[in-house]
Amino acid sequence: MIVVTGATGTIGRALIEELGGAARAVVRRAEQGEELGCDYVVGNLERPESIPIEPGDRLFLNSAQWPGFVRAHQAVIDRAVAAGVAQVVTVSVRGVTSSSLLGFGMHGQVDDHLKASGVPWSILAPVGFMQNLAGDVDEEGRILGSYGRGRVGYIDARDIAAVAAVLLTRPVGADATYELTGPVAPTHDEVAAELTRALGRTVRYVDLSVEEAAVHLEKRGMPAHAARDLAELMSQIGDGRWASTTTTVADILGRQPRSLREFLG
Ligand SMILES: NC(=O)c1ccc[n+]([C@@H]2O[C@H](COP(=O)([O-])OP(=O)(O)OC[C@H]3O[C@@H](n4cnc5c(N)ncnc54)[C@H](OP(=O)(O)O)[C@@H]3O)[C@@H](O)[C@H]2O)c1
């Protein structure tokens, strides 16, 4: 059985579709399972014993982040080891370590735990998702950030799901981290131009210093320390660490990843 956590999320929904009848979704409420229309079990990552795993199962471990994320994910990995799961495929972020800022550091801690656990593992390490870009445009048609001229190889989350589906259905391979990107890495001015074309209204990228971006994020309700860290993270991304593209999606799927233009339609 292929057990899919985070099944109602952006990647999870696409993965359930890719896997067809082969998946068992883990959802927090029964209505969500009914809506997905596939085999499902009600479970919560904060209660590892509620995740339905048995010897030989393959587990897709993914969720949004919350303060208990690291502890919960590590506990589910421990349970997967004890249950004799054949493989854990999880979603992290490209280039993170346990000392990275904010949620990136949380991923680093979970990744370290998984690698040391003894269970066969695959870590998907994407950059930013195309799915979030339109939501970053404010009422005045601006994307505010501190990326500078930094390029980011934004990826369609459906391509992440397609890669996960291959890894979960072909024979379990060697443990590996898969750095996943889209086909090209645009600057944020180029992203704004694509959004302008697709949305039919002018979108522009406004580059802020880390300090200005932190103030902006705080005004939008983020706690001061998190706002500062997020602004710093955007500027770190702008240093070019997400600028190179990889051929991993094409190597695994035998087709190019979707471009931003294809995604926006
Ligand atoms: N967004 C990006 O640009 C980006 C880039 C790189 C990596 N990532 C990583 O991608 C992951 C998120 O993937 P996504 O965008 O597909 O997720 P998503 O759309 O945010 O959905 C989150 C999923 O996690 C589930 N969930 C949350 N808390 C849970 C819990 N305690 N127990 C069980 N399920 C729980 C949610 O269930 P409910 O429906 O019940 O809430 C939902 O199915 C994160 O690890 C993130 O760091 C994101």
Side-chain angles (χ1 to χ4, degrees):
M1 182 57 69
I2 301 172
V3 178
V4 177
T5 63
T8 55
T10 311
I11 300 172
R13 282 178 187 274
L15 178 58
I16 294 288
E17 225 175 286
E18 291 277 348
L19 293 172
R24 174 169 292 164
V26 180
V27 292
R28 291 199 275 185
R29 296 188 312 280
E31 315 85 86
Q32 297 171 307
E34 295 299 326
E35 192 240 319
L36 286 174
C38 64
D39 182 18
Y40 72 91
V41 171
V42 174
N44 191 315
L45 293 168
E46 290 183 286
R47 286 182 289 107
E49 69 286 356
S50 69
I51 308 299
I53 37 182
E54 289 175 12
D57 280 351
R58 298 168 79 162
L59 174 66
F60 180 70
L61 177 59
N62 185 41
S63 78
Q65 293 192 315
W66 74 96
F69 174 90
V70 173
R71 189 184 39 77
H73 279 242
Q74 291 180 343
V76 173
I77 291 165
D78 292 345
R79 195 169 119 67
V81 174
V85 159
Q87 177 197 33
V88 174
V89 176
T90 192
V91 180
S92 180
V93 177
R94 185 179 188 184
V96 297
T97 69
S98 57
S99 52
S100 301
L101 293 172
L102 288 175
F104 286 20
M106 289 193 198
H107 276 301
Q109 291 177 59
V110 174
D111 294 352
D112 287 349
H113 192 81
L114 179 60
K115 290 175 185 173
S117 70
V119 73
W121 56 267
S122 303
I123 295 175
L124 306 182
V127 295
F129 299 176
M130 292 176 183
Q131 273 77 0
N132 298 334
L133 291 170
D136 288 342
V137 181
D138 72 9
E139 318 71 46
E140 293 170 47
R142 303 171 306 175
I143 299 174
L144 298 168
S146 46
Y147 300 103
R149 301 281 309 153
R151 294 178 175 277
V152 174
Y154 285 105
I155 184 167
D156 183 337
R158 292 173 298 176
D159 286 334
I160 304 170
V163 167
V166 169
L167 296 176
L168 287 160
T169 51
R170 74 183 184 192
V172 176
D175 298 340
T177 298
Y178 298 88
E179 297 201 337
L180 306 178
T181 73
V184 295
T187 64
H188 288 79
D189 288 331
E190 290 165 350
V191 168
E194 285 297 328
L195 286 167
T196 296
R197 194 190 56 79
L199 301 178
R201 66 186 176 107
T202 303
V203 176
R204 62 197 173 90
Y205 173 64
V206 178
D207 194 52
L208 305 175
S209 67
V210 169
E211 291 70 26
E212 289 167 337
V215 169
H216 162 71
L217 291 167
E218 211 180 324
K219 275 192 193 146
R220 290 178 68 134
M222 195 172 274
H225 67 281
R228 169 77 209 186
D229 280 0
L230 181 55
E232 184 66 41
L233 260 184
M234 286 194 276
S235 123
Q236 288 179 2
I237 289 168
D239 72 6
R241 67 188 63 192
W242 282 3
S244 64
T245 54
T246 68
T247 60
T248 314
V249 172
D251 294 343
I252 293 175
L253 300 183
R255 64 159 175 82
Q256 287 300 313
R258 291 182 186 87
S259 67
L260 183 55
R261 186 161 295 192
E262 284 171 305
F263 170 78
L264 292 170

